[in-house]
Amino acid sequence: MGGIFYACGKETLIKMKKTLITTMSFLLLLLSCVPLFAGEPRVVRIGAFDYYPAIFKDKDGTIKGFYVDALAAIAERENIRFKYIYGTWKEGMERLESGEVDLLTSVAFTPERAEFLDYGSQPLQTVWGELYTSPSSGIDGIQQVQGKKIAIMIGDFNGRYFIDLVKKFDITCEFVEMPDFNTIFQAIAAKQVDAGVVNSTFGAAKQHEYSLISTGVVFNPFDIFFAAAKGKNQELLTLLDNYLYNWRQQTNSPYAKARQKWSHGSVNAIQVAPPWLINSIAALGGIILITLTFIVLLKVQIKRATADIEQSKAVLRENEAKFRSYIDNSPDGIFVTDEDGRCLEVNPAAAAITGYETEELLNLSICDLVPAESFASSHHLLTLQELGIASNEFEFIHKNGKKRWCSVDTVKLSATRYLAFTKDITTRRRTEDQLLHAMATADAANTAKSRFLANMSHEIRTPMNGMIGLIELLLGTGLTKEQREYAELIKLSGRNLMQLLNDILDLSKIEAHKIELEAHDFNLQAEITGTINLLALHAKTKKLRLHAQIDPDVPILLRGDSGRLRQILNNIIGNAIKFTHEGSVLLHICTVAENEKEATLRFEVTDTGIGIAADKLDKIFEPFTQGDSSSTRQYGGTGLGLSIARQLTELMGGTIGVDSVQDGGTKFWFTVVLAKQLDKTAPVPEELAGDEAVASDLSNPDNGRKAPPTQNRNRILLAEDDQINQHMTKLFLTKSGYLVDVANNGREALKLLEENDYAMVLMDCMMPELSGYETTTMIRNPASAVRDHSIPVIALTANAMQEDRDNCLAAGMDDYLVKPIEVSKVLEILKKWVPFAAEADEGTDIGTTRNAIFDQEELIARSMGDIDLSRYVATIFMENAPDYIEAIRSALTAKDVGALRQSTHKLKGAAATMALLQLTEAARSFEELAVNGEIGNAWMSLPSLERKFEQACAALQQFILTRPEADPSAVSAAASD
């Protein structure tokens, strides 16, 4: 029963289906007759492109293909005229979107396209993508396309799918987009590309024409449809669906005939089954065939992919082995740590640096190897977190407990992994420390050299000044011509020696970078006038014309170190006068560059002298180099002056040079950069002649202090606590025509300054109650009661180093004199700071002598040749002598370093004033012990100091008792007892 029922039901279904087909055919026939009664045919625009054999443009320019034939049959029935607009596939899609065409053929379905396209429900055909190539390419599978050039059609669904496919297999290709399939096959045949992706229908029809073959790579079976713009021409799609549905059921339909025609197939097949069944079976068979093909291809691909994976694993293992070899053999220690610094992996070099075994390090952290305070202070972790990389140097604690310096470069690999490269730099750090120590030692040696030169200069300058002073006194007496000639030679030799000392000191200061340029306002005209006047006498004695010329555009009111500028000019002009026998010496000043704040000036000194040999020009500015270095040279000099001039010029921002021809004169030139005094102008003379130039105004010091009141221009305040120095200095100043008031300490000096007007203060630096530094600070304080806060203050100090001078200037002092006070230096200071310039009385010619204990000549010279004054000062020293030693003993007993230094300094100053040479040196050494706080060594040195003191007192006592007519040698004999 069930079988019969099933058979009856089946027959009923067949009948119903036939009835439905007949009805639909009849309806279609009726619809096909409608256009006969219509008017003008409807125009439907179709986007055409090369998709052989479905649709393409023939050589004659007409659009052909089995889609065209099938649509032509529909056009006859429906009174429609299909108008084809030819272009590329991409252009067709763009025209469909823009509304330029109504219909597009062969459109694959994708969700993205469905957003702007409506599709028909009946597929035109089922196709798949296929890869074609030339027979000689060697490509027979997906793996062989690695690195090849593959052509795909612009906008083609198959091309897009193939790109995704090779990515899944991790294959890299170069893709070239082309407008259509024909162009792709042409490019493959011409070997412009290695292979190309087309659909299977086009490939089967055209491969023989281009002599191409399929690679066997078949993929992505899909249906293609008619498509229209979203929401437009839906009724057209429905009409085409109806025709396609019926025609695909019939073997002799226009659609079937068109496919057979363009696919070159047979049209004699006899239909033995309903079309829908044949189609279903064919479709099912096709799907099965495609599925089997895909499975086979997939297995092949899986097999190849597996082989590739195994090969990649082998390469990876090889690379890992190489990397491990690099790590293990690296000379740098390598640490891999977690976020807490614990060692996860280390190499042998890391173990060697730390002294631990590898297994031991894996149980430690970086904090166990680096002192915590060192790691925390370096901000290493903070930098590493912010930047992902950090470098630093740390002391690693070796397993044996010793510390070794290491450089550490750390990289942040992830949130929980860090990689550190470590290198042992202990040897380098030790070398650096040794170099730093060597540099410090060299600096200390250089400083010691400078101090030694300064001390030696002082020691040599003191007797030299005495000698020059005595020669000047001697020249003032009645001498024979021969005696005067000898005395003049001695005076010249002494001054040359003094210049040599000054040059050596300047050179040592420059080499030690101790020279600092001052900055003060000055008048260039006045400075040049003073320089020319200073050198005019020398030029006049040689009958030379010395003159200077300043260009009108040169600024006159400037700011800088005028003293150093004059030093350069004195040296160069002095050399020009020295090496010129007849003619002239010209100084010319012009402007090189100028702006609102500063000016670069050029100074040229041209002479008509002997010139310089060509082989000497390159070295003329080197130290100890002279234009005439022969043993028979006619001119003196150390060869330091031009070297100092060069270095001073460079310090002032300029350069120096020379142009010369032997026996043809010389031109020295230099440039300096000087600041301008803003909003100030001054007249400039055209020329300053040596015998006509006006002397510069010496009453206006460089620091701008105001001149003292006229009625007190010769009244001086001497602030000095030592009675010897008080009497010596006061008597000298009185004999020079000055009125002198004496203050025993700083407080007395302030009181006198509050009550009286003075032209200048001579201020001892070390005094009780208030030192000279403190007193000067009070003078400069506008709130203090002194009358003149800008009064010139000249320091009196027994220390002559640069730092001592700096301390004086920093306290507000204007200048300084080094003890023992030299007559010539005092006269220079008085002329510079006090407008009243009285001349000292001439001394008398006396018989004197000197020895290592007591320099009698020096004491008498300081007394301006007055032997009675010298004995008077010596008497005062002898009266106060016990107090000096007693103060030193009291300070030693109390271990009061400050009091010891002050009492010793006081003895040193008094001994130096009295020209007690050995006692002065002993006191200086004792003072150094006090400065360094060496109380024990001072006690040990006290007997030697006392012995020198007794010898000095004995020599002075003998000097006091000796009459002028007595034999001077008696003093020496008595002092040595």
Side-chain angles (χ1 to χ4, degrees):
M1 290 291 291
I4 295 172
F5 179 79
Y6 174 77
C8 292
K10 186 175 182 180
E11 290 178 358
T12 302
L13 287 174
I14 292 172
K15 289 180 179 180
M16 289 177 64
K17 191 170 184 178
K18 288 181 178 180
T19 303
L20 180 60
I21 292 171
T22 303
T23 304
M24 290 184 66
S25 298
F26 179 74
L27 290 174
L28 287 173
L29 182 60
L30 289 176
L31 287 172
S32 65
C33 295
V34 171
L36 297 175
F37 305 100
E40 289 295 324
R42 175 187 177 186
V43 178
V44 176
R45 299 165 298 176
I46 298 178
F49 55 92
D50 285 334
Y51 193 62
Y52 188 91
I55 187 169
F56 63 96
K57 188 174 184 180
D58 202 0
K59 295 179 181 178
D60 60 2
T62 59
I63 304 301
K64 298 180 179 180
F66 72 81
Y67 289 170
V68 177
D69 290 354
L71 288 172
I74 296 174
E76 291 179 2
R77 291 169 173 76
E78 300 295 334
N79 194 27
I80 297 174
R81 183 167 69 88
F82 290 107
K83 180 180 179 182
Y84 296 94
I85 300 176
Y86 180 76
T88 63
W89 160 253
K90 183 179 179 182
E91 290 172 344
M93 288 292 290
E94 292 172 350
R95 287 169 177 162
L96 188 64
E97 289 185 70
S98 65
E100 295 181 51
V101 298
D102 305 306
L103 192 69
L104 201 63
T105 64
S106 304
V107 183
F109 178 84
T110 66
E112 295 84 5
R113 292 176 180 173
E115 294 181 2
F116 61 89
L117 294 179
D118 286 332
Y119 287 88
S121 60
Q122 294 296 320
L124 283 164
Q125 59 179 337
T126 300
V127 296
W128 55 82
E130 193 166 0
L131 186 67
Y132 281 85
T133 186
S134 62
S136 61
S137 69
I139 300 175
D140 60 356
I142 191 82
Q143 290 295 333
Q144 278 69 43
V145 302
Q146 174 68 37
K148 302 295 184 180
K149 186 181 291 187
I150 308 299
I152 60 174
M153 189 173 80
I154 299 173
D156 182 34
F157 183 72
N158 295 298
R160 238 174 59 193
Y161 190 90
F162 186 75
I163 292 174
D164 294 337
L165 182 64
V166 296
K167 284 181 180 178
K168 293 177 181 177
F169 285 95
D170 198 20
I171 295 171
T172 304
C173 301
E174 179 184 352
F175 290 99
V176 181
E177 291 187 325
M178 296 187 175
D180 50 58
F181 291 154
N182 265 323
T183 306
I184 292 176
F185 268 23
Q186 289 170 5
I188 299 172
K191 299 191 181 300
Q192 296 172 352
V193 295
D194 298 300
V197 175
V198 299
N199 67 46
S200 55
T201 305
F202 179 85
K206 286 282 189 175
Q207 63 177 340
H208 300 293
E209 179 181 340
Y210 290 96
S211 300
L212 304 178
I213 61 172
S214 173
T215 62
V217 178
V218 180
F219 57 90
N220 189 36
F222 62 92
D223 291 331
I224 55 178
F225 302 86
F226 285 118
K230 195 75 173 179
K232 299 179 180 180
N233 297 310
Q234 185 62 52
E235 77 288 352
L236 180 61
L237 292 176
T238 302
L239 175 65
L240 297 177
D241 282 343
N242 291 333
Y243 275 103
L244 286 175
Y245 177 80
N246 286 302
W247 284 353
R248 291 178 66 178
Q249 315 301 320
Q250 304 170 16
T251 59
N252 201 28
S253 66
Y255 177 82
K257 289 179 180 179
R259 288 197 62 175
Q260 290 174 358
K261 170 184 175 182
W262 292 103
S263 300
H264 311 288
S266 173
V267 295
N268 297 322
I270 301 175
Q271 183 174 343
V272 295
W276 62 269
L277 182 59
I278 295 174
N279 291 339
S280 298
I281 293 173
L284 182 60
I287 292 172
I288 293 173
L289 179 61
I290 291 171
T291 303
L292 291 175
T293 302
F294 183 75
I295 291 172
V296 171
L297 290 173
L298 187 59
K299 286 184 177 180
V300 171
Q301 298 302 328
I302 291 173
K303 184 177 180 181
R304 291 179 178 175
T306 302
D308 290 343
I309 291 172
E310 291 299 326
Q311 182 179 359
S312 298
K313 286 182 178 179
V315 172
L316 184 61
R317 285 192 294 269
E318 180 182 357
N319 291 336
E320 184 178 0
K322 289 181 180 178
F323 181 71
R324 173 52 57 188
S325 174
Y326 299 152
I327 294 295
D328 291 342
N329 294 289
S330 171
D332 295 344
I334 298 177
F335 296 82
V336 178
T337 70
D338 61 14
E339 67 273 21
D340 297 323
R342 301 199 65 81
C343 298
L344 303 177
E345 189 173 355
V346 296
N347 71 337
I353 291 173
T354 60
Y356 292 93
E357 297 294 333
T358 302
E359 294 75 13
E360 293 177 308
L361 283 175
L362 297 179
N363 294 320
L364 299 175
S365 73
I366 296 297
C367 296
D368 298 321
L369 303 173
V370 178
E373 62 277 7
S374 175
F375 206 80
S377 63
S378 67
H379 305 291
H380 190 81
L381 290 177
L382 182 61
T383 305
L384 188 61
Q385 292 294 335
E386 292 180 351
L387 304 179
I389 186 171
S391 299
N392 228 310
E393 294 181 357
F394 301 102
E395 281 188 305
F396 271 59
I397 304 175
H398 196 272
K399 185 178 180 180
N400 59 17
K402 295 182 179 179
K403 294 181 179 180
R404 299 190 65 83
W405 277 100
C406 295
S407 65
V408 180
D409 299 306
T410 311
V411 179
K412 184 178 181 180
L413 300 177
S414 67
T416 59
R417 290 294 182 272
Y418 297 87
L419 176 65
F421 297 90
T422 307
K423 181 178 294 184
D424 191 329
I425 59 170
T426 304
T427 302
R428 193 201 80 193
R429 287 293 294 251
R430 287 175 181 169
T431 302
E432 290 176 352
D433 291 342
Q434 291 172 356
L435 288 174
L436 290 173
H437 178 71
M439 290 175 62
T441 303
D443 288 342
N446 199 30
T447 302
K449 181 194 76 171
S450 299
R451 183 175 290 273
F452 171 77
L453 286 172
N455 290 335
M456 288 303 298
S457 170
H458 172 73
E459 295 300 327
I460 297 173
R461 188 183 286 109
T462 299
M464 284 303 303
N465 274 316
M467 182 185 74
I468 293 171
L470 288 174
I471 293 298
E472 289 177 347
L473 293 174
L474 181 61
L475 288 171
T477 63
L479 301 175
T480 66
K481 181 179 179 181
E482 185 178 11
Q483 290 172 335
R484 183 170 297 279
E485 182 179 351
Y486 293 160
E488 289 287 355
L489 289 174
I490 295 173
K491 178 181 177 182
L492 178 61
S493 298
R495 293 197 180 280
N496 288 341
L497 182 57
M498 290 294 290
Q499 183 60 45
L500 172 61
L501 291 172
N502 291 334
D503 286 348
I504 292 175
L505 273 179
D506 275 346
L507 186 64
S508 67
K509 290 176 183 177
I510 292 173
E511 289 178 347
H513 306 289
K514 295 294 185 181
I515 282 189
E516 294 183 2
L517 296 178
E518 297 179 357
H520 53 257
D521 294 342
F522 68 91
N523 184 303
L524 180 63
Q525 174 186 338
E527 295 296 332
I528 299 304
T529 300
T531 301
I532 295 299
N533 284 343
L534 180 66
L535 298 168
L537 181 60
H538 187 195
K540 193 171 183 178
T541 59
K542 298 187 70 173
K543 298 181 180 180
L544 301 176
R545 184 169 185 265
L546 173 63
H547 54 116
Q549 184 177 6
I550 305 176
D551 285 355
D553 63 337
V554 174
I556 296 302
L557 299 180
L558 300 170
R559 183 174 180 80
D561 196 331
S562 61
R564 293 301 180 184
L565 178 61
R566 292 186 68 167
Q567 182 177 355
I568 300 170
L569 288 171
N570 283 332
N571 187 283
I572 296 177
I573 299 175
N575 279 348
I577 296 173
K578 180 195 298 186
F579 294 106
T580 302
H581 300 301
E582 59 182 11
S584 63
V585 175
L586 169 65
L587 169 62
H588 176 237
I589 306 171
C590 61
T591 304
V592 176
E594 183 179 4
N595 56 36
E596 294 180 357
K597 295 183 178 180
E598 61 185 21
T600 302
L601 303 184
R602 180 182 174 97
F603 296 76
E604 297 178 351
V605 178
T606 306
D607 64 57
T608 58
I610 63 174
I612 304 171
D615 59 343
K616 300 292 185 182
L617 290 176
D618 292 340
K619 299 180 180 179
I620 196 69
F621 296 105
E622 296 299 323
F624 307 104
T625 299
Q626 297 161 319
D628 179 9
S629 59
S630 65
S631 60
T632 60
R633 60 193 177 95
Q634 301 177 11
Y635 305 96
T638 63
L640 294 176
L642 288 177
S643 174
I644 293 170
R646 175 179 63 84
Q647 298 187 64
L648 289 176
T649 300
E650 292 174 353
L651 284 174
M652 298 175 76
T655 57
I656 191 170
V658 60
D659 301 315
S660 182
V661 177
Q662 192 164 7
D663 299 325
T666 303
K667 177 195 287 185
F668 277 93
W669 59 266
F670 68 92
T671 61
V672 293
V673 180
L674 298 168
K676 297 166 63 175
Q677 299 178 39
L678 301 181
D679 301 327
K680 294 183 180 181
T681 59
V684 182
E686 294 185 358
E687 184 172 320
L688 301 174
D691 53 353
E692 298 174 356
V694 180
S696 57
D697 183 7
L698 298 179
S699 65
N700 288 327
D702 291 342
N703 67 353
R705 305 253 185 242
K706 66 182 181 180
T710 304
Q711 63 273 23
N712 296 297
R713 69 182 189 275
N714 66 334
R715 189 172 186 181
I716 295 174
L717 174 62
L718 172 63
E720 170 67 70
D721 66 313
D722 184 77
Q723 292 186 13
I724 302 299
N725 288 328
Q726 283 180 1
H727 285 283
M728 191 75 172
T729 306
K730 181 175 180 179
L731 287 172
F732 165 73
L733 292 173
T734 301
K735 287 175 68 66
S736 298
Y738 290 91
L739 301 176
V740 181
D741 291 343
V742 178
N744 292 297
N745 54 54
R747 294 196 185 279
E748 291 184 11
L750 289 175
K751 184 176 181 181
L752 289 172
L753 288 169
E754 292 172 3
E755 298 172 352
N756 305 289
D757 292 320
Y758 294 97
M760 184 173 68
V761 180
L762 292 175
M763 182 76 70
D764 183 28
C765 291
M766 298 185 67
M767 294 185 296
E769 297 193 39
L770 279 181
S771 69
Y773 303 120
E774 296 169 329
T775 305
T776 305
T777 302
M778 293 292 294
I779 293 172
R780 301 299 182 221
N781 186 355
S784 66
V786 299
R787 294 191 178 190
D788 184 5
H789 299 289
S790 62
I791 185 172
V793 178
I794 310 302
L796 299 177
T797 175
N799 300 319
M801 294 304 295
Q802 179 67 36
E803 53 265 33
D804 302 311
R805 178 179 182 275
D806 293 341
N807 291 337
C808 293
L809 298 179
M813 299 180 185
D814 300 282
D815 216 328
Y816 76 107
L817 285 168
V818 179
K819 294 180 181 179
I821 297 174
E822 302 172 17
V823 174
S824 61
K825 294 294 184 183
V826 175
L827 290 176
E828 288 180 10
I829 290 292
L830 292 174
K831 289 180 180 179
K832 180 178 181 180
W833 295 98
V834 182
F836 178 81
E839 295 293 336
D841 295 339
E842 292 186 357
T844 60
D845 183 18
I846 58 174
T848 58
T849 187
R850 68 176 67 192
N851 59 56
I853 296 176
F854 172 42
D855 190 342
Q856 180 177 328
E857 294 179 1
E858 178 67 16
L859 177 61
I860 296 174
R862 290 174 186 168
S863 301
M864 302 181 70
D866 191 335
I867 192 169
D868 291 330
L869 175 60
S870 302
R871 288 195 177 94
Y872 175 71
V873 174
T875 301
I876 295 175
F877 180 88
M878 293 296 294
E879 291 175 354
N880 292 275
D883 296 337
Y884 292 123
I885 296 299
E886 183 61 32
I888 292 173
R889 281 186 167 277
S890 298
L892 280 172
T893 303
K895 296 183 179 181
D896 188 340
V897 175
L900 180 62
R901 179 183 178 186
Q902 185 170 358
S903 59
T904 309
H905 183 82
K906 187 174 182 179
L907 174 60
K908 181 183 72 173
T913 300
M914 297 302 301
L916 300 170
L917 307 183
Q918 290 185 359
L919 180 59
T920 301
E921 182 57 35
R924 179 182 290 108
S925 300
F926 211 85
E927 184 184 19
E928 291 181 359
L929 296 176
V931 170
N932 297 327
E934 301 178 18
I935 297 294
N937 291 334
W939 272 113
M940 294 176 64
S941 301
L942 183 61
S944 176
L945 178 66
E946 290 177 332
R947 185 166 56 255
K948 295 289 191 302
F949 183 78
E950 291 171 358
Q951 292 174 350
C953 289
L956 285 178
Q957 185 67 33
Q958 183 64 29
F959 171 67
I960 294 170
L961 298 176
T962 302
R963 302 303 303 165
E965 61 274 8
D967 184 2
S969 62
V971 177
S972 177
S976 61
D977 289 340

